[in-house]
Amino acid sequence: MIETVAETGSTNADLLARIAAGDDLREGHWLVADRQTAGRGRRGREWFDGRGNFMGSTIVRPVAGDPPAATLSLVTGLAVYEAVSTLVPPDASLLLKWPNDLVLKGAKLSGILLEQAIGVVVVGIGVNLARAPELPDRQTIALARFGPAPDRDLFAHNLAACMAEELVRWRTYGLELVIRRWSSVAHPIGTELAVAPPGEEPVRGQFAGLTAEGNLTLARADGERRIIHAGDVMLDYRGS
């Protein structure tokens, strides 16, 4: 089900509040806003309002036997990639950046924020369909660069279908397939990265693949291989 609202503070916050109040929202329920006034990205960053863009959240209810809930970050990235891939030219250099950012021509196209409540994961997604925000630390891009902006409602239905399909794969075939598929559309092995783990200064190195748990492996110039469980990742054109 896709529920739309004209304006709200944050679709993630709305769903979390409704769940906390006892609203029995089923997995696959989506809340999509025309406008957000208090949206948040990772580390509390402001989530660009962007009229005409996709701004929405959905609910996943992990059950016994599912892979770890944290790996829904990779699953969601794949769903967004699949929803966008048919809307850009084949040579547009669309790729996933760990753990779940979608990058187009080297610029950020979308962002994802996962938040957990008891027994529930709320997945927030923003995709620049019509406009791209100006950010101080990275380039951004919108799909409108390639022609008329995609219809938000049609995009929402396509994304919901892609997310449902990815969840089936995640539950049926496990994390190994998710990692293999994610790796096939992500920055390649050897890509120079700058990674800022929470509370630390950025470290640089080359992307050396994902662990079996979906964490990032960074190969440092001194030969160290560091496992990154969380952090901001930038494609680092300066090298390590």
Side-chain angles (χ1 to χ4, degrees):
M1 174 186 173
I2 299 178
E3 175 187 0
T4 60
V5 293
E7 181 177 312
T8 189
S10 160
T11 55
N12 261 36
D14 286 355
L15 289 183
L16 287 167
R18 288 166 64 175
I19 291 165
D23 196 342
D24 187 23
L25 299 174
R26 296 186 178 184
E27 179 170 295
H29 185 102
W30 287 79
L31 178 63
V32 177
D34 296 339
R35 181 170 184 263
Q36 283 193 144
T37 59
R40 292 168 294 114
R42 297 184 66 249
R43 300 194 179 186
R45 294 189 183 97
E46 183 179 353
W47 190 343
F48 178 56
D49 175 44
R51 285 184 180 274
N53 290 344
F54 176 85
M55 296 163 285
S57 303
T58 189
I59 293 170
V60 179
R61 292 187 175 273
V63 297
D66 283 351
T71 62
L72 285 168
S73 182
L74 302 177
V75 172
T76 307
L78 280 168
V80 178
Y81 179 93
E82 292 295 337
V84 168
S85 61
T86 60
L87 302 175
V88 297
D91 61 350
S93 301
L94 182 70
L95 59 83
L96 283 167
K97 178 169 68 67
W98 189 88
N100 53 35
D101 280 350
L102 194 58
V103 176
L104 180 61
K105 288 188 173 293
K108 182 170 180 174
L109 177 68
S110 74
I112 294 165
L113 176 67
L114 273 66
E115 297 184 278
Q116 287 189 268
I118 297 176
V120 177
V121 178
V122 174
V123 181
I125 302 171
V127 183
N128 300 331
L129 303 180
R131 295 193 294 153
E134 293 185 6
L135 299 179
D137 59 344
R138 66 198 68 194
Q139 293 183 313
T140 59
I141 195 170
L143 290 178
R145 175 171 171 176
F146 300 95
D151 179 86
R152 196 281 311 272
D153 291 341
L154 290 177
F155 181 83
H157 283 280
N158 187 31
L159 178 58
C162 289
M163 186 68 178
E165 187 173 355
E166 295 299 335
L167 285 172
V168 170
R169 289 194 180 107
W170 179 68
R171 289 187 165 119
T172 303
Y173 303 108
L175 191 52
E176 182 180 356
L177 177 63
V178 170
I179 291 174
R180 190 162 67 245
R181 293 184 63 244
W182 186 94
S183 300
S184 72
V185 294
H187 41 70
I189 299 295
T191 298
E192 302 285 350
L193 301 177
V195 185
E200 299 184 33
E201 291 297 314
V203 293
R204 293 183 171 84
Q206 293 185 340
F207 177 57
L210 302 185
T211 68
E213 296 76 31
N215 299 312
L216 182 146
T217 304
L218 191 70
R220 303 275 285 141
D222 59 6
E224 175 194 8
R225 287 194 169 230
R226 180 166 177 180
I227 306 301
I228 306 294
H229 300 277
D232 283 345
V233 176
M234 298 289 289
L235 301 180
D236 183 14
Y237 298 106
R238 294 174 296 172
S240 56

